Amino acid sequence: MSSSSSSRRRRVGRGGRLGRNPLAVTEPSAAEETRAWAELPLDAILSVLDYLDHVDILMGPGQVCRSWRSAARDEPDLWRRIDMLGHAELLNELNLHGMAQEAVRRSAGRCEAFWGEYAGDDDFLLYLGDQAPSLKSLRLISCDDVSDEGFTEAIQKFPLLEELELSLCPYVGESGVFGVVGKACPQLKRFRLHRDGFYYLDTRDYDMDQEALGIATMHELRSLQLSGNRVTNKGLEAILDNCHHLESLDIRRCFNVNMDDTLRAKCVRISSLRLPKELNW
């Protein structure tokens, strides 16, 4: 082997220009990383934020830098459909009612859907009614601070509502509130009413079909899910006789319903039917 070739390898091995590793990566400094995030275009920032739910956005990304704060705060389309589900563990740590109100404020009147778990009381619903006149979907889960009175007043502010869920909201359902929903929301197509459990009651002073008779005024329903409701055959027949577009009916754990021949005949047109004793899965 020639001496010139050996000398060349030694120069490379000593770290000369010819010996630098072309794959070596220089770690960016903290300042460079911050600047890189801050300089992302708005579309890229919004794409990242779209992967987060709205509780996460309210708690974190807005603190990254000015451009991220602006995107999280001043882009109404980011808040068009607000999802605050799945954060029950934060109930005693954060003011979820206040966060819900802030989320709606950021929508700048464009909110079309609000889904809240432990995030909503009477005052919030009235605020939502004033700020979201185009609301089409409202899902309230475990909202113990929503009452019949507050809900009845607020629901009349949502004439375009197409979807409504009230799951584990123990203080909504009396005083003919669902009849009010039927009149105030003529475009309602999907309604879910989920109770915590089924209870056998002394019926002498209680109309177990009160809720069902209110639901029967929701004439455009396509999908109805009742769970743990005290509805009887009378109430269910009223629903079937008045909700002519109904395609999906779920009455699991509605143990006062006896699927006799009359009810089965009325349910023939229902394409998806779940019966009282079917398992919840």
Side-chain angles (χ1 to χ4, degrees), residues 60-185:
Q63 310 305 317
V64 173
C65 57
R66 182 179 301 173
S67 60
W68 284 71
R69 280 196 297 274
S70 177
R73 183 188 58 203
D74 300 329
E75 292 296 325
D77 282 349
L78 187 63
W79 305 91
R80 189 184 295 272
R81 300 184 64 84
I82 299 170
D83 182 353
M84 297 185 65
L85 303 179
H87 292 279
E89 75 283 357
L90 300 177
L91 174 62
N92 297 317
E93 300 178 19
L94 299 173
N95 178 5
L96 292 176
H97 300 335
M99 293 177 73
Q101 186 163 323
E102 173 61 17
V104 172
R105 186 193 69 77
R106 295 185 184 190
S107 74
R110 301 182 192 179
C111 181
E112 295 181 357
F114 178 84
W115 301 349
E117 183 175 5
Y118 296 103
D121 56 12
D122 287 348
D123 289 339
F124 167 73
L125 283 184
L126 293 173
Y127 178 80
L128 181 65
D130 291 336
Q131 299 296 318
S134 299
L135 196 74
K136 295 181 180 180
S137 176
L138 176 61
R139 298 178 61 193
L140 301 176
I141 299 172
S142 299
C143 292
D144 294 352
D145 295 322
V146 175
S147 70
D148 264 349
E149 293 76 11
F151 181 82
T152 298
E153 183 176 353
I155 199 66
Q156 298 178 69
K157 299 175 181 286
F158 305 127
L160 302 181
L161 200 68
E162 297 180 2
E163 177 183 33
L164 175 62
E165 176 177 353
L166 296 168
S167 289
L168 309 179
C169 297
Y171 303 111
V172 180
E174 305 290 339
S175 307
V177 63
F178 297 136
V180 176
V181 174
K183 294 178 182 178
C185 308

Side-chain angles (χ1 to χ4, degrees), residues 151 155 161-166 172-173 176-193 210-226 238-246 269:
F151 181 82
I155 199 66
L161 200 68
E162 297 180 2
E163 177 183 33
L164 175 62
E165 176 177 353
L166 296 168
V172 180
V177 63
F178 297 136
V180 176
V181 174
K183 294 178 182 178
C185 308
Q187 300 182 44
L188 193 67
K189 294 178 176 62
R190 295 176 297 279
F191 181 41
R192 181 182 185 189
L193 180 64
Q210 182 185 68
E211 293 178 343
L213 295 177
I215 294 170
T217 67
M218 305 175 188
H219 301 302
E220 294 301 316
L221 280 184
R222 269 62 172 176
S223 175
L224 173 62
Q225 183 175 351
L226 301 177
I239 291 172
L240 292 168
D241 288 342
N242 289 278
C243 300
H244 302 294
H245 304 290
L246 200 61
R269 61 184 173 85

Side-chain angles (χ1 to χ4, degrees), residues 258-277:
N258 173 29
M259 292 299 295
D260 57 21
D261 291 342
T262 300
L263 272 182
R264 290 186 181 278
K266 291 178 181 292
C267 288
V268 168
R269 61 184 173 85
I270 306 298
S271 58
S272 176
L273 179 63
R274 304 298 300 273
L275 298 177
K277 295 182 180 180

